[in-house]
Amino acid sequence: MAGSHTSDRGGETGERRTGPLIVTEDAELLDDLLRLCAAAGAHPEVHHCMPERRASWDAAPLVLVGDDAAVRCRGATRRPGVLLVGRDQDDPAVWRHAVEIGADCVLRLPDAESWLVDRIADVVEGAERQALTVGVVGGRGGAGASTLACALAVTAARYGRRTMLVDGDPLGGGLDVLLGGERTEGLRWPDFAASKGRVAGGALEESLPSLHGLRVLSWDRGDAVTIPPEAMRSVLAAARRRGGVVVVDLPRRIDESTAEALAQLDVGLLVVPGELRAVAGARRVASMATMILRDLRVVARGPYAAGVDEQWVADVLELPLAGEMPLEPGLMIDLDAGVPPGDSTRSPLGRFCAAFWDRVLTGEGTS
């Protein structure tokens, strides 16, 4: 049996590993796996056979076993995160070997290279727990969805959550304006319009404007730019991998890019003013959104028409009621002074957002 060795890309030191364990004697396959690890920013540990130290196998965040080494890994501890990797598409024995070592799946290169880079990068970025992602959409224009999205993000950041606010509405004028940061340096949506494939979560976070303790991906004041669905998918996936909280302000018109955003939400909030026309418009928005998003809740907003209250609005829309968005005296004055929505813990909006996060985040640890 061939001996084992540790790659100079990540030796068996006492340091915390940031990359996968690779087990293979196939030099060509090893070169490919090292290349994919480098693309994902990972530092792997390499062995030709089962590591002598059981901890190397047990503690590795991901184990990549070459199909040439599967037989030598029989008897290894059963654990999640073992992938059997090879090149031979027609070897029927490979599936038996996968069962014998408890592999999660069988990957064939080069076809699975993109998927494998993503999986390795998830390990590097610590993507075991993705961000709780909340989307906010208005039942009609001017419903206050952007204000609520900003207030939710500001509140989450104030309580110590890693927070990213994503402006998904290209016609909204830019959430950085609502936060008083339109001149703050950092990338905006047009810089990501051509994004395809994987976007690194850490690089995304560091490139965005930092305002009031959170990161903001907003629009600039230039010409309209179309964000393809692929870019929306890549950017939101990167934001979620960082953990914490992601808040997305969504347009009422659900196109392909908005559908990509809806698909990544955990919770959606539909802001509906308490008037009949707004409820009628919200019904159309809800019917489209719920085709993609399972958990859509109503945030009712006064003042209400005669005979209408927050529960009536939710009942007509046949959606659960998340609460009543309170009136915020002096909101426009605060915005003109550079004070963002939800900045005060004593304001009605600040209290509403704090109560929302207390309910939604119950039982979850702080990222």
Side-chain angles (χ1 to χ4, degrees):
M1 180 178 294
S4 64
H5 78 280
T6 301
S7 167
D8 59 4
R9 292 174 178 264
E12 289 187 26
T13 68
E15 297 178 0
R16 179 180 179 271
R17 299 219 48 76
T18 60
L21 169 69
I22 298 175
V23 184
T24 184
E25 270 190 313
D26 184 328
E28 184 178 356
L29 178 60
L30 177 58
D31 285 344
D32 285 338
L33 292 177
L34 291 177
R35 172 175 55 83
L36 298 179
C37 285
H43 303 283
E45 179 180 328
V46 178
H47 289 265
H48 289 163
C49 61
M50 272 295 298
E52 294 180 4
R53 294 177 64 250
R54 177 176 170 176
S56 294
W57 176 278
D58 293 345
L62 189 69
V63 178
L64 307 179
V65 178
D67 54 6
D68 65 293
V71 173
R72 299 192 294 277
C73 292
R74 288 174 181 168
T77 305
R78 294 299 176 110
R79 48 151 294 169
V82 176
L83 309 179
L84 185 60
V85 188
R87 290 182 169 278
D88 187 352
Q89 302 286 344
D90 301 318
D91 181 5
V94 72
W95 301 101
R96 185 179 73 252
H97 295 328
V99 172
E100 290 172 347
I101 66 173
D104 293 344
C105 61
V106 175
L107 303 179
R108 290 303 177 207
L109 304 183
D111 294 349
E113 285 193 355
S114 295
W115 186 93
L116 185 53
V117 169
D118 283 352
R119 186 68 184 88
I120 296 170
D122 284 344
V123 168
V124 175
E125 293 185 358
E128 288 82 5
R129 172 174 293 178
Q130 291 195 329
L132 177 69
T133 306
V134 177
V136 187
V137 60
R140 66 157 169 78
S146 295
T147 298
L148 179 57
C150 286
L152 286 169
V154 168
T155 303
R158 185 171 62 244
Y159 284 100
R161 293 261 171 180
R162 171 187 273 125
T163 305
M164 188 176 295
L165 175 62
V166 178
D167 189 350
D169 186 357
L171 301 181
L175 293 184
D176 54 353
V177 176
L178 267 178
L179 296 173
E182 61 269 29
R183 298 183 183 276
T184 303
E185 291 186 1
L187 300 184
R188 266 67 174 183
W189 261 122
D191 298 301
F192 297 96
S195 296
K196 293 181 180 179
R198 186 185 182 88
V199 174
L204 171 67
E205 185 177 35
E206 293 172 4
S207 72
L208 300 179
S210 178
L211 300 169
H212 309 285
L214 58 103
R215 296 286 180 166
V216 183
L217 176 53
S218 185
W219 298 88
D220 60 12
R221 262 50 64 186
D223 294 336
V225 175
T226 299
I227 300 300
E230 296 83 2
M232 180 66 75
R233 182 190 313 125
S234 296
V235 168
L236 274 184
R240 297 191 72 200
R241 284 194 301 271
R242 298 297 288 169
V245 166
V246 175
V247 180
V248 187
D249 182 30
L250 297 167
R252 289 182 298 126
R253 179 177 178 273
I254 299 180
D255 56 15
E256 291 184 349
S257 292
T258 306
E260 287 290 349
L262 285 168
Q264 298 202 45
L265 299 182
D266 296 302
V267 180
L269 299 178
L270 179 62
V271 183
V272 186
E275 56 190 50
L276 297 181
R277 287 187 62 192
V279 173
R283 182 190 289 273
R284 291 191 291 271
V285 176
S287 67
M288 292 184 290
T290 51
M291 293 176 66
I292 305 169
L293 175 64
R294 290 186 177 182
D295 191 352
L296 181 64
R297 311 176 191 181
V298 170
V299 175
R301 176 187 168 197
Y304 298 100
V308 174
D309 62 15
E310 66 272 24
Q311 191 60 57
W312 183 90
V313 172
D315 291 343
V316 168
L317 295 173
E318 299 180 324
L319 295 171
L321 179 65
E324 181 182 19
M325 183 174 170
L327 297 175
E328 184 84 358
L331 176 62
M332 296 307 299
I333 295 175
D334 286 343
L335 293 178
D336 289 341
V339 179
D343 184 64
S344 172
T345 58
R346 295 189 296 271
S347 70
L349 190 54
R351 292 196 299 270
F352 173 87
C353 292
F356 171 80
W357 288 126
D358 284 345
R359 292 193 303 273
V360 172
L361 296 170
T362 299
E364 292 191 11
T366 302
S367 297

